[in-house]
């Protein structure tokens, strides 16, 4: 049975309820994280918990759990995952209060929610054929570095992409490409990778940082630099990266073909390195469970 962590207790999913006056529901007054777990071992947990801490600080909400408490709770949820790839979803809201008020309450009792979901195997067509994306104006607020649950603009952009026959959208703000609707952006041009620098215009992605690390270790030239709309259109490769999507190669942008219309050589190389990093986590999980037997 799937369990949900709710305010300090594990409860069956259908019993996990929050009051209608929860500020997460009424105001979107909450932040979240999505942490992949391979073979029951969370991937880059420290980086995800660091980012959660930064999101909470940015919305002036004290972290309700210590690092050890987060790790232990996530460890328990991962224990339910078995060999499967799952993602751990965490959400912290400012909690429920008797009256609806825009004013942040002085005394807060946050709501803490966590549960795991299956990460579906990557569709083999993505590695063979890539995905399609469109560009759309970035109508989001100016604190996209906070992993806030207020995701209407992201969802509407995703819906428009699908309506236009694409898989996803890449946001453009002031002629600069920022990120995807739920992913970071990389381009390759003349053998060099580039991704926009972290700022309040985009989420500091954990997968993005891993790709940067892997590229540096492998000697692949990689820059953190602004990507203009023009750079995007003349890129030989475009990828979107996230914890659940991994590295997704974009082969069509609006009506244009990207590169030769198939996932490019730098994507192939970086995806292999990424898969190898994942494989090492799975091996660690296997070794750990054999030691426990
Ligand atoms: N989203 N940018 C945005 C707007 C995102 O929502 C995400 C991830 C990323 C990539 O971050 P990371 O590599 O740390 O997953 C970038 C998650 C997966 C989600 O909302 O489900």
């Amino acid at each position: 049975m799937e369990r949900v962590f709710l305010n300090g207790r594990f409860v069956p999913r259908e019993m996990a309820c929050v009051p209608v006056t929860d500020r997460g529901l009424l105001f979107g007054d909450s932040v979240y994280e999505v942490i992949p777990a391979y073979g029951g071992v969370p991937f880059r947990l420290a980086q995800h918990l660091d980012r959660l801490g930064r999101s909470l600080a940015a919305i002036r909400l004290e972290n309700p759990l210590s690092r050890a408490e987060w790790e232990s709770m996530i460890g328990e949820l991962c224990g339910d995952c078995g060999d499967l790839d799952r993602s751990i979803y965490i959400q912290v809201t400012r909690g429920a209060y008797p009256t609806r008020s825009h004013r942040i309450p002085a005394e807060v009792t946050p709501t803490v929610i966590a549960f795991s979901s299956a990460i579906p195997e990557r569709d083999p067509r993505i590695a063979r054929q890539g995905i399609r994306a469109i560009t759309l104006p970035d109508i989001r607020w100016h604190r996209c570095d906070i992993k806030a649950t207020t995701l209407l603009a992201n969802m509407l952009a995703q819906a428009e992409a699908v309506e236009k026959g694409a898989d996803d959208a890449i946001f453009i703000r002031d002629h600069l490409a920022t990120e995807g609707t739920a992913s970071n952006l990389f381009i390759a041009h003349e053998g060099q990778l580039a991704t926009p620098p972290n700022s309040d215009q985009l989420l500091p992605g954990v997968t993005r940082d891993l790709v940067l690390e892997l590229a540096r270790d492998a000697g692949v030239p990689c820059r953190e630099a602004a990507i203009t709309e023009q750079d995007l259109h003349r890129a030989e490769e475009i990828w979107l990266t996230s914890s659940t999507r991994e590295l997704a190669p974009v082969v069509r942008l609006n009506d244009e073909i990207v590169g030769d219309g198939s996932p490019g050589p730098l994507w192939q190389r970086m995806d292999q390195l990424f898969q190898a990093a994942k494989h090492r986590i799975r091996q660690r999980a296997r070794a750990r469970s054999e030691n426990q037997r």
Side-chain angles (χ1 to χ4, degrees), residues 76-93:
E76 278 217 36
L77 278 179
C78 285
D80 296 347
C81 299
D83 255 0
L84 301 171
D85 290 349
R86 312 267 305 174
S87 66
I88 308 294
Y89 178 84
I90 292 173
Q91 187 176 341
V92 182
T93 86

Side-chain angles (χ1 to χ4, degrees), residues 11-288:
V11 290
R13 194 178 272 248
E14 60 279 9
M15 306 272 287
C17 301
V18 291
V20 291
T21 51
D22 193 285
R23 292 178 64 94
L25 180 64
L26 297 182
F27 293 105
D29 189 356
S30 67
V31 295
Y32 76 110
E33 270 303 321
V34 178
I35 307 163
Y38 303 123
V41 175
F43 194 36
R44 303 234 136 187
L45 179 58
Q47 289 85 342
H48 283 279
L49 290 179
D50 287 348
R51 187 172 63 190
L52 177 66
R54 291 197 302 274
S55 296
L56 286 165
I59 69 159
R60 304 167 186 221
L61 183 52
E62 205 177 309
N63 197 328
L65 300 185
S66 67
R67 180 62 70 120
E69 286 168 333
W70 282 118
E71 285 171 356
S72 140
M73 181 270 282
I74 291 165
E76 278 217 36
L77 278 179
C78 285
D80 296 347
C81 299
D83 255 0
L84 301 171
D85 290 349
R86 312 267 305 174
S87 66
I88 308 294
Y89 178 84
I90 292 173
Q91 187 176 341
V92 182
T93 86
R94 211 177 301 270
Y97 302 89
T99 46
R100 179 184 176 275
S101 164
H102 284 69
R103 185 173 293 205
I104 293 180
E107 297 276 313
V108 295
T109 311
T111 301
V112 182
I113 301 162
F115 54 83
S116 78
S117 317
I119 302 181
E121 288 239 338
R122 178 167 72 185
D123 183 340
R125 275 176 309 187
I126 291 181
R128 277 200 314 269
Q129 298 167 7
I131 61 168
R132 293 170 166 223
I134 58 168
T135 50
L136 284 179
D138 198 342
I139 58 165
R140 299 174 301 162
W141 69 334
H142 290 271
R143 288 307 307 272
C144 299
D145 55 318
I146 303 174
K147 200 159 171 62
T149 55
T150 36
L151 292 169
L152 261 181
N154 308 57
M155 285 163 44
L156 291 174
Q158 167 68 230
E160 191 170 336
V162 170
E163 237 167 56
K164 293 185 170 155
D167 302 284
D168 212 337
I170 295 171
F171 286 123
I172 307 287
R173 198 194 292 259
D174 299 332
H175 307 291
L176 297 180
T178 55
E179 60 179 343
T181 60
S183 50
N184 291 111
L185 170 70
F186 279 81
I187 61 164
H189 185 55
E190 294 177 346
Q192 248 208 15
L193 287 180
T195 190
N198 282 336
S199 72
D200 54 10
Q201 311 290 308
L202 56 98
L203 188 78
V206 173
T207 319
R208 168 195 181 277
D209 287 351
L210 174 62
V211 171
L212 284 172
E213 241 177 77
L214 293 173
R216 280 174 196 143
D217 290 350
V220 175
C222 195
R223 295 181 307 138
E224 292 178 76
I227 296 175
T228 64
E229 231 179 323
Q230 202 189 13
D231 294 335
L232 193 63
H233 288 286
R234 49 167 212 218
E236 287 108 40
E237 297 186 33
I238 300 176
W239 327 328
L240 295 175
T241 67
S242 86
S243 295
T244 45
R245 191 159 224 177
E246 304 183 348
L247 279 61
V250 176
V251 297
R252 203 176 176 98
L253 183 69
N254 301 332
D255 291 327
E256 298 160 21
I257 285 173
V258 180
D260 69 359
S262 60
L266 268 177
W267 176 80
Q268 308 276 2
R269 178 151 180 218
M270 294 311 302
D271 185 59
Q272 261 174 18
L273 294 173
F274 180 86
Q275 297 305 328
K278 243 173 85 174
H279 184 65
R280 286 194 292 276
I281 292 285
R282 283 214 193 87
Q283 277 180 324
R284 225 167 69 197
R286 218 163 287 139
R288 201 175 63 174

